[in-house]
Amino acid sequence: MMREMTGAEMVMQALIDQGVEHMFGYPGGAVLPIYDAMFHQNQVKHVLVRHEQGAVHMAEGYARSSGKAGVVLVTSGPGATNAVTGLTDALLDSIPVVCITGQVPTHLIGSDAFQECDTVGITRPCTKHNYLVRDVNDLARVLHEAFYVAQNGRPGPVVVDIPKDVQFAKGIYVGPENIQHKTYQPKLRGDDEKIRAAVELLAKAKKPIFYTGGGVINSGPEASRLLREFARLSGYPVTSTLMGLGAYPASDKQWLGMLGMHGTYEANMAMHDCDVMLCVGARFDDRITGRLDAFSPGSKKIHIDIDPSSINKNVKVDIPIIGDVKHVLEDMLTTWRGMKAEPDRRAIASWWGEIDRWRARKSLSYAKSPDVIKPQYAIERLYHAVKDKDVYITTEVGQHQMWAAQHFHFEEPNRWMTSGGLGTMGYGLPAAIGAQVAHPESLVIDIAGEASIQMCLQELSTALQFNLPVKIFVLNNEYMGMVRQWQDLLHGGRYSHSYSESLPDFVKLAEAYGGVGIRCSRPGDLDAAIQEMLKADRPVLFDCIVDQKENCLPMIPSGKPHNEMILPDHPEGLDEAISEEGKIMV
Amino acid sequence: MPPINNEPAERHTLSLLVDNEPGVLARIVGLFSGRGYNIDSLTVSEVSHDSRRSRITVVTTGAPMIIEQIKSQLDRLVPVHRVVDLTVTGKAVERELALIKVRGKGEIRQEALLIADSFRARTVDTTLESFVFEITGKPEKIDQFVSLLEPLGLVEVSRTGVAAIGRGPDSM
């Protein structure tokens, strides 16, 4: 399709042609022509946010829960700089986002014009790619290319910066047909020889483990299905990073729980002691590996990743397979079946025996209390109340996030949205709103802390305006809990500025926005209060008053290997757990 | 924490074919500075006007694992078409051009001219008290030439950085 239209009209046409149904944005001087073009159509629905950071997190929640790219529209200058945190978040967690920014007219670029900033310069290191479009005849191609780049290969955020004169200028629009990037063509199929070598290694393994990550989710639901099939066929244990939760069902007996700094004892011990590790779409992040030179010292490592730069970045692997998880798992399964591979049943049974002994340590246990709500108990009760519902969970960042990862269990991919790489406080509420936009009939809950929730709380107004009945479940311990925990670990319990002073009355605050406020402080009242929250057809801010002093365990102290975890039955010595060398780590 | 990679650092010459679009050089330089990699030398120029391609030659040093990482990181940049490690693909031709100004009179001046001659440097500017020499060669040769001129009234040096190309009939 080719026809003449203005740049602003091209933006809307390109979004329509890309199948975009929702976008998140905030108007301003440099994007007014696009907002005007939006006014003349009703195919793409616009969600008006309260802060541009919220817009990007909403797009992330939308993308991660639906598998589609999230779309953001913001103005120049502060609009663009406010989006930077969200863009960086999407880059680190590989979330496909297309962010359109307005720019001052081309003749004013470089003159320090009102609301001018060097958007492509500022966003260059925090996007997968970005464009400044100076000619309206490039605009349609660039927009389609932006969607292609954001969604193909390792997904990520792409910025398209459009000067205001380009939005007014007329040019020829081209449709998305035949737009394929000249050079950016990521490899999807893994190398046959490598796949064969990997399958042979796996079939002979005596202590294997599947270490899976967000790449399985990004590869689509079929990748999760293939992972389950491979696990069932082999009988091997499965663990996952924070980003990969849900790709493998938590109710399955082969599931070891999450691994890493706050992962389960069994998952980390199995990682440490395994002889063959199959890393599927994960990237050996420092939260996962602990001390690098003591990371899984005796294992042969196979690494499937679509991004070649993830291979051998932190950990040297024996068999790298560059490709998309779905394609590679498919080929691995075919090869496995073709070879009539038979795992060493005896060895695997004895491996499971070892794992069961680690499991018996019950590393997620905690001391229950009849008087005060333990944060873990709150998550458990929430999980029990909603596990049979069609539910999506988002989180903010901190202790509550780790407790949610430990005590809320996921059966399906795309149900769990959290800021893993960047660790952005304030992510959860807007991400929940984005997920609710994608799934209007589903239950969406943001598991939050009282500190994090205040970072993007203004988006409650967005939720009210668009009838998005998200539930915000705040574990309120009146501390930036994870900061305080690290002050216990590293700084002799001197709680420098980690107390949440002058907290608002969350119930009144919710009501001030037009939502529902609920407070609960006694374990005995919790179930009924959760039911009340679930019954509400409006956004709810649930102020769950929890034990102030609880720390998040188990934990691999920074600078320690997987087999030196602090367990909840031996929490003493927290202040001595980290060595001098470990203290510099975060 | 002991370093994960204590293999000795190596010097590698990388050749990159990139889209000649605004910001492409900033993207590459930003990648090096943002991730803490070294740039020993960097040259860039358009090599094909029709297809709007530029060729960038980067000389970098790092442990082998870091060099691999640099190549993968460069390769995943959207406007980067190809990354070739000329140090791995075999002995490449590496050349650098330098302009060197010396100032002096009498014997010193004579000596500078003799050294320039033995290095096959060309004299591209002459006054009664100065010369500008143009020299082309491997970076080590230029280093040596410059160090010899140091006591002979060296004023300033301008070097292009390394341009490199693989030997044999094939393109990168």
Side-chain angles (χ1 to χ4, degrees):
Chain A
M1 184 185 94
M2 288 177 70
R3 61 188 164 95
E4 196 185 59
M5 57 178 88
T6 68
E9 287 164 347
M10 284 184 194
V11 172
M12 293 318 298
Q13 191 59 51
L15 296 183
I16 291 165
D17 289 350
Q18 287 289 339
V20 174
E21 290 170 60
H22 297 95
M23 65 198 296
F24 305 90
Y26 203 101
V31 279
L32 283 179
I34 300 174
Y35 272 87
D36 192 51
M38 188 191 298
F39 196 79
H40 292 288
Q41 58 84 48
N42 46 23
Q43 276 162 282
V44 184
K45 292 183 185 61
H46 177 269
V47 175
L48 176 69
V49 303
R50 300 298 181 266
H51 185 286
E52 289 87 349
Q53 181 187 348
V56 188
H57 293 325
M58 285 180 207
E60 288 183 273
Y62 184 89
R64 195 142 182 92
S65 66
S66 69
K68 295 166 66 176
V71 180
V72 175
L73 175 60
V74 296
T75 193
S76 63
T81 57
N82 278 346
V84 164
T85 299
L87 293 169
T88 314
D89 194 272
L91 182 71
L92 277 169
D93 284 345
S94 309
I95 311 294
V97 169
V98 174
C99 175
I100 296 163
T101 56
Q103 181 56 277
V104 301
T106 41
H107 72 276
L108 287 181
I109 289 178
S111 71
D112 297 327
F114 178 64
Q115 293 196 329
E116 182 192 357
C117 74
D118 176 8
T119 300
V120 284
I122 290 169
T123 61
R124 199 172 284 130
C126 66
T127 53
K128 184 175 172 186
H129 194 48
N130 64 14
Y131 302 85
L132 168 63
V133 184
R134 288 170 175 275
D135 181 347
V136 69
N137 289 308
D138 290 334
L139 183 56
R141 174 186 59 80
V142 166
L143 286 164
H144 297 309
E145 220 175 87
F147 275 90
Y148 173 82
V149 171
Q151 293 172 289
N152 283 276
R154 180 177 178 174
V158 177
V159 162
V160 182
D161 196 28
I162 313 175
K164 197 171 178 182
D165 56 329
V166 175
Q167 298 170 30
F168 277 120
K170 283 197 163 180
I172 299 297
Y173 176 83
V174 289
E177 315 81 28
N178 309 323
I179 301 248
Q180 217 192 9
H181 199 274
K182 301 184 286 292
T183 52
Y184 185 71
Q185 315 228 349
K187 190 165 166 259
L188 298 179
R189 295 214 92 90
D191 186 76
D192 285 340
E193 261 172 58
K194 295 248 167 69
I195 286 173
R196 190 162 189 88
V199 170
E200 278 169 7
L201 192 61
L202 276 165
K204 281 188 302 199
K206 298 193 184 311
K207 298 177 168 194
I209 190 162
F210 288 180
Y211 148 44
T212 68
V216 184
I217 314 254
N218 277 338
S219 182
E222 181 64 7
S224 294
R225 195 193 63 71
L226 290 162
L227 171 68
R228 291 159 192 224
E229 193 178 330
F230 201 8
R232 221 176 6 255
L233 199 62
S234 61
Y236 295 171
V238 183
T239 181
S240 163
T241 67
L242 182 71
M243 295 307 293
L245 296 178
Y248 194 79
S251 60
D252 191 87
K253 61 182 182 356
Q254 283 166 252
W255 172 243
L256 303 187
M258 181 175 77
L259 81 160
M261 186 171 272
H262 293 289
T264 65
Y265 186 62
E266 54 270 33
N268 285 327
M269 288 302 287
M271 284 290 280
H272 187 269
D273 284 8
C274 69
D275 69 343
V276 176
M277 178 189 299
L278 176 65
C279 169
V280 191
R283 59 184 176 94
F284 298 94
D285 171 69
D286 56 69
R287 298 296 93 165
I288 295 308
T289 59
R291 183 170 148 185
L292 265 178
D293 64 348
F295 172 71
S296 193
S299 63
K300 292 265 185 210
K301 298 172 185 75
I302 304 160
H303 186 183
I304 306 171
D305 205 301
I306 198 159
D307 178 1
S309 78
S310 286
I311 306 279
N312 294 336
K313 181 164 67 181
N314 303 324
V315 170
K316 193 107 182 128
V317 297
D318 301 277
I319 305 180
I321 304 174
I322 294 162
D324 172 55
V325 168
K326 184 193 87 162
H327 288 85
V328 174
L329 286 182
E330 210 163 40
D331 290 347
M332 283 182 98
L333 274 163
T334 312
T335 311
W336 179 282
R337 292 201 169 99
M339 278 167 46
K340 301 206 189 320
E342 234 351 280
D344 183 342
R345 297 287 168 201
R346 265 174 93 119
I348 300 304
S350 107
W351 178 225
W352 274 110
E354 268 187 82
I355 291 170
D356 287 340
R357 280 192 291 283
W358 294 321
R359 264 184 180 160
R361 294 291 298 268
K362 298 203 177 310
S363 61
L364 296 181
S365 61
Y366 60 93
K368 289 202 173 66
S369 161
D371 311 313
V372 57
I373 301 176
K374 291 285 183 175
Q376 302 95 322
Y377 179 73
I379 306 271
E380 265 178 25
R381 296 319 301 164
L382 179 68
Y383 172 65
H384 277 282
V386 305
K387 65 177 173 166
D388 296 324
K389 297 182 190 289
D390 170 21
V391 62
Y392 292 83
I393 300 291
T394 71
T395 75
E396 309 286 336
V397 169
Q399 284 184 325
H400 69 272
Q401 176 191 28
M402 292 300 113
W403 282 317
Q406 292 171 339
H407 298 278
F408 202 102
H409 308 291
F410 296 90
E411 299 297 309
E412 295 298 329
N414 302 96
R415 297 283 175 163
W416 162 250
M417 277 121 316
T418 193
S419 172
L422 194 64
T424 311
M425 293 169 74
Y427 169 89
L429 173 56
I433 292 172
Q436 187 82 78
V437 169
H439 308 278
E441 303 304 321
S442 308
L443 173 63
V444 183
I445 305 173
D446 170 27
I447 297 177
E450 87 290 337
S452 276
I453 191 61
Q454 294 186 80
M455 283 214 183
C456 278
L457 187 60
Q458 73 284 349
E459 302 306 336
L460 200 48
S461 177
T462 307
L464 262 300
Q465 182 186 345
F466 293 90
N467 298 317
L468 302 164
V470 294
K471 311 290 183 266
I472 308 161
F473 191 73
V474 178
L475 298 182
N476 183 350
N477 63 358
E478 296 185 24
Y479 276 102
M480 294 158 213
M482 197 57 98
V483 173
R484 193 208 54 210
Q485 179 164 343
W486 279 69
Q487 287 172 332
D488 276 333
L489 280 161
L490 295 181
H491 299 289
R494 292 180 297 281
Y495 300 152
S496 184
H497 293 271
S498 54
Y499 183 68
S500 293
E501 198 75 55
S502 302
L503 280 177
D505 180 331
F506 284 115
V507 173
K508 283 187 185 158
L509 190 60
E511 287 164 358
Y513 274 105
V516 178
I518 299 172
R519 179 171 297 118
C520 182
S521 55
R522 287 211 307 265
D525 300 338
L526 188 56
D527 286 347
I530 289 173
Q531 286 310 321
E532 191 189 337
M533 171 177 86
L534 298 178
K535 269 192 242 126
D537 56 1
R538 279 180 297 155
V540 178
L541 188 48
F542 189 115
D543 187 16
C544 187
I545 310 293
V546 298
D547 188 351
Q548 294 201 353
K549 296 285 178 186
E550 191 75 13
N551 275 335
C552 185
L553 295 174
M555 178 179 192
I556 305 175
S558 58
K560 296 275 175 149
H562 279 168
N563 59 349
E564 294 184 35
M565 290 196 88
I566 305 173
L567 292 173
D569 50 353
H570 287 97
E572 64 274 5
L574 202 62
D575 51 341
E576 284 154 23
I578 295 185
S579 64
E580 281 304 312
E581 286 167 330
K583 282 186 181 175
I584 57 157
M585 310 291 284
V586 288
Chain B
M1 204 126 320
I4 49 156
N5 193 348
N6 37 25
E7 295 162 290
E10 297 172 355
R11 187 170 174 278
H12 282 243
T13 304
L14 311 180
S15 226
L16 281 66
L17 208 56
V18 304
D19 279 327
N20 183 15
E21 62 180 33
V24 67
L25 187 60
R27 227 175 268 286
I28 285 158
V29 172
L31 191 152
F32 276 82
S33 66
R35 292 185 182 267
Y37 306 143
N38 301 309
I39 297 182
D40 296 346
S41 155
L42 176 85
T43 63
V44 53
S45 188
E46 190 171 72
V47 288
S48 158
H49 188 67
D50 296 343
S51 52
R52 303 189 65 232
R53 295 286 167 86
S54 285
R55 181 156 171 155
I56 295 177
T57 310
V58 193
V59 181
T60 181
T61 38
M65 205 162 148
I66 299 294
I67 299 284
E68 283 309 309
Q69 187 57 207
I70 292 173
K71 288 188 270 182
S72 314
Q73 291 288 353
L74 287 168
D75 211 15
R76 74 176 185 153
L77 294 177
V78 172
V80 171
H81 295 240
R82 254 171 91 55
V83 179
V84 173
D85 186 341
L86 292 173
T87 308
V88 168
T89 53
K91 278 230 166 296
V93 182
E94 292 188 15
R95 288 294 180 268
E96 187 176 3
L97 184 142
L99 297 170
I100 299 150
K101 186 180 285 182
V102 291
R103 177 181 198 154
K105 287 184 169 171
E107 213 169 294
I108 283 183
R109 186 173 157 81
Q110 202 55 39
E111 192 64 27
L113 210 52
L114 275 172
I115 290 172
D117 194 45
S118 71
F119 273 80
R120 294 186 197 166
R122 295 199 313 140
T123 309
V124 290
D125 179 65
T126 311
T127 70
L128 290 174
E129 52 173 340
S130 70
F131 289 119
V132 174
F133 298 125
E134 175 199 306
I135 180 169
T136 307
K138 291 182 182 170
E140 303 78 41
K141 175 181 163 184
I142 295 171
D143 291 344
Q144 206 189 352
F145 183 53
V146 171
S147 71
L148 284 170
L149 290 177
E150 208 135 330
L152 300 176
L154 180 74
V155 177
E156 58 178 350
V157 182
S158 174
R159 298 172 68 149
T160 58
V162 174
I165 203 159
R167 291 180 190 272
D170 300 327
S171 71
M172 70 179 276

